[in-house]
Amino acid sequence: MRLPRPPRISQLFFLLLFLVLFLLTEYRGSDRIVAAVNGFFRADPLTAVSSMLAVKGYLPLLFPGLLMLALSLFLGRFFCGWICPLGTVLDLATDRIGKLGPIRVLQGRAKYWLLLPLLFASLFGLNVAGILDPIAILLRALTFFFHPLLGETARGGWKSLYGLLGDRRDLLDPGYHLLRDYLLPFRETLYPLAFLSALLFFLVLFLERYEKRCWCRRLCPLGTLLGLVSRFGPLRRIPAKLCPDCRACREHCPTSFDRELLQMDECILCLQCALNCPSQRVRFDWRGMRPETGPVMERRVLLGGLFGGFVLARTFRFREPEAQARMLRPPGVREEGEFLEKCVRCGECMKVCLRSALYPALLQAGPEALYTPVLVPRLGYCEYNCTLCGQVCPTGAIPDLAVEAKKREVIGKAVFDKNHCLPFAKRVDCIVCEEHCPIPQKAIRSELVEVTGFQGEKLQVKQPYLVTELCNGCGICENVCPLEGKSAIEVFAVKDRTPIPLSADAPSAPPSRPPGGASPDPYAGSNG
Amino acid sequence: MERRRFIKLLGLCSIFLPGSLRQLLAAQGPVVAVSQGSDHAAAARRAIAALGGMQRFVKAGQTVVVKPNIGWDRAPQYAATTNPAVVKAVVEECLKAGAKKVKVFDRTCNDARRCYASSGIESALKGMKNVEVKHLEEERFKKVALNGRVLKECELYGEALSADVYINVPVAKHHGLSRLTLGMKNVMGIMGGNRGSIHKNLDQALADVNGYFRPQLTVIDATRILTAHGPQGGNLADVEVLNQVLASTDMVAADAYATTLFGLKPSDIAVTRTAYQRGLGEMNLDRIRVVKA
Ligand code: SF4
Ligand code: SF4
């Protein structure tokens, strides 16, 4: 067995790092999460370029991505050969997959036809590059598909073991504990786009059937962007062509030596040629002669990209008004348009959301918002004291807020449906929603009212009502409403997401003693 | 043995003096030990000692469940969850009495990880030998037939059911529906399924569950109480510091006494009233012996 070479060591290191960071993207008893969990995205040049084009401004959070781009000018596509975890996965798998030979349509300019419309669409305010970003593809496959699957399997086994052994299972607890605490998701969430996420990942893998690193050299928009930059850089391989007397590179190069001339924009700096050259002729040098590689791209591609981007940006906008009512964005997001420009659809927020409140949008916000996070209160609610999604969002699409500020951010506003709500519809006590409302002053309150029961008897029932000004739309009320299926209280999106004023947190009145009964507050109903 | 002989003796007496026996029992009544002090752990210990000490409840080698209120993601000073110092003192007493294992858990309303951390209970018990602070595991819930008035059956937590000793350690606080939540309501922490649905008949449902499943000992944390905006509060203005811990073997009596701390009468609380009417314990303050500890 050959010793692993430096590029491979680096690849394995970064893949491991990626997986560790992935596992760390979880609440583990501390309110702050390791800042580095979104490091891969912050250092992702495609994320940086497309987001900054979309907002038409500089996003300091994404500086590492720009740095990486600058580095690539000098070092070529080293990111692809040394760092990118998706590339590493492909490298690890590719030898086990038989090859059929390159696909015709993917050769040539196909990758520019993909990258340019994406970038131009960003310029027109539609930032969808993240859908095809390799890091995002891998992360979403992990988040939405592999990790829940792993959790489901492991926990399922553990549960059935209980059925088999009963409390004797506890003898095995220590082992399972380790697994549960470090490897499994806290709860196995089923995500709506799990299938698509896995499909995209397997498609990338499937392309290996045709040639090595097929995705990387033929399609990947991030790789293409890096390739564009490295074309202009000074780094060259010497010799630039296959040597007539040997041609061994051809066998070893995973990307671009199927032609005579090395294409720097496809070379991923894996150094296979240098490491395997029988006569040790190959080296990489910054003062290398610039070989003729032909024009970067034809004007046709550029114009086509521009037009494509424009069309994308215009046609992806359609939104179903009905679905919009439930488009609840994570806390701190105030403006839908700005949010869409910044969100790279990486899935980090959904991974970290500790109540599994966030889910990738399907088409409810139009195709443009595919994979952006939406809060679905019936499935999970936004935990009052949690600020994790803002902490892990690499672009600041969800702002990283202090707890006190986040609590006042408005996600939406709750509304009662009196046709379903038990105290109104069935004239029985309930107010589980009031009990769970986390706002210290209670955005949901109740008043004791006298009603006539269905048998004509006099009844006293506590009827809930909403203090809309205090509601932050966290969704816990909708989540815990004991009705089956549809909740009797629902959170709806609102345009005006001005945070709840600070003064609302101050006690509205000294607590009355004894509690219950009449409370002297301005919102109490007449029968209060 | 002692006790059984005593009861036999009483039984024997009752044949001859039915009237005076009733009087005797009434005079005895259930005991509620009340201790006060700003050292909350010591206060809890004194209250338990006043009932005869933990060894009265826990025998060597037994498994004990200590069930505090860890229901909400709130720091201890908000009085929405049981004081960690009280919980720790109870756990330590159990260990001292020879418990083989002490399990501490609650079915939380907010995210369990956050509740366990914020309540301070997890960290207070961290590293203690033979003590487990556990999240609930769904598969351990067992359907039990209650045959109660409103609940025919319900799911209860297996580890609570199988424990040798169950010690209830609620915090005394306000509640929007039941007015107060005390010992009786704390049992909801071991109930599975859709708990919200029992709200429509809370007092009867709780009497059903508590009639079936009864703690050997109830220790009510009233070191600081939440007087409004319960059960989760969140505003220090609603919290009153009383520095009291109550303990009793009769949870209805413990609840009844705790009610007075809020300036209310036991009969104001439907849960207490119903439990009393159904014979689960004593609620008349003049029939409860209050021992200051
Ligand atoms: S949506 Fe709420 S609960 Fe989920 S991560 Fe964001 S802040 Fe936390
Ligand atoms: S909002 Fe969520 S999906 Fe979008 S960029 Fe931020 S963390 Fe990623």
Side-chain angles (χ1 to χ4, degrees), chain B residues 191-224:
Chain B
M191 288 177 67
N194 184 350
R195 288 184 297 185
S197 62
I198 72 165
H199 276 56
K200 56 178 181 278
N201 240 321
L202 193 63
D203 45 334
Q204 296 291 350
L206 283 181
D208 285 345
V209 187
N210 280 301
Y212 174 87
F213 183 82
R214 315 183 66 161
Q216 280 87 332
L217 172 65
T218 296
V219 179
I220 299 186
D221 162 27
T223 54
R224 65 279 180 278

Side-chain angles (χ1 to χ4, degrees), chain A residues 331 352-355 357-358 375 381-383 386-389 406:
Chain A
V352 85
C353 181
L354 83 178
R355 289 307 300 193
L358 299 178
L375 197 130
Y381 62 91
C382 176
E383 191 69 80
C386 168
T387 56
L388 295 178
C389 52
K406 179 257 159 180

